[in-house]
Structures are given as structure tokens and as C-alpha cells.
Amino acid sequence: MTCEEVRQALGAHALGALDPHEAEEVDLHLATCEECGDELAELAGVAGFLGKVSERDVVLVASPPKRVLERL
């Protein structure tokens, strides 16, 4: 895999959402690419953060109140 391909998959990889074959390919690349490994390390906290987001939070972000949009 190229760095570009790996970078596109890193978010899903950090969440454990890749199929086993693709995860293995990403891991092989990460074993030899420090830059992609650093980027994965930056995403390490994402899974824990997403666990704190409620369904209500998602609804609010997707459809902010009209007064908020007007202020923008």
C-alpha cells in the first residue's frame, strides 16, 4: 500500500473497522513507515473520544439551532 492509501484507511484502522486483510496490509506498511505511524498515533484517542459523544450531540451538530446559524 502507498502512504496515500494508508492515510485514507487510518481512521477506520484506529477504530478497528477494517476487514482483517486490509488491516494486515495497513499494519505491514506501518511497520516500515514512520510518518504514517505518527499519523496513526495522533488518531489513537479518537475511539475513546467518540465513545463520549451522545446521539443528541450528533443531532445538534448536524442541525444546529437557527439562532446559531444566524450568528454565523
Side-chain angles (χ1 to χ4, degrees):
M1 293 185 92
T2 66
C3 288
E4 182 64 28
E5 292 169 326
V6 169
R7 287 188 177 121
Q8 290 177 9
L10 283 179
H13 190 60
L15 296 173
L18 293 179
D19 68 61
H21 176 73
E22 189 172 11
E24 183 179 348
E25 287 187 29
V26 170
D27 287 335
L28 288 171
H29 179 87
L30 292 171
T32 62
C33 182
E34 187 176 340
E35 285 182 44
C36 289
D38 290 345
E39 193 165 331
L40 178 62
E42 290 178 17
L43 295 172
V46 171
F49 175 75
L50 289 177
K52 296 177 181 180
V53 177
S54 71
E55 187 175 332
R56 182 177 183 275
D57 293 333
V58 173
V59 170
L60 286 174
V61 171
S63 302
K66 185 177 179 179
R67 66 181 183 276
V68 171
L69 293 175
E70 288 171 351
R71 286 182 23 209
L72 294 174

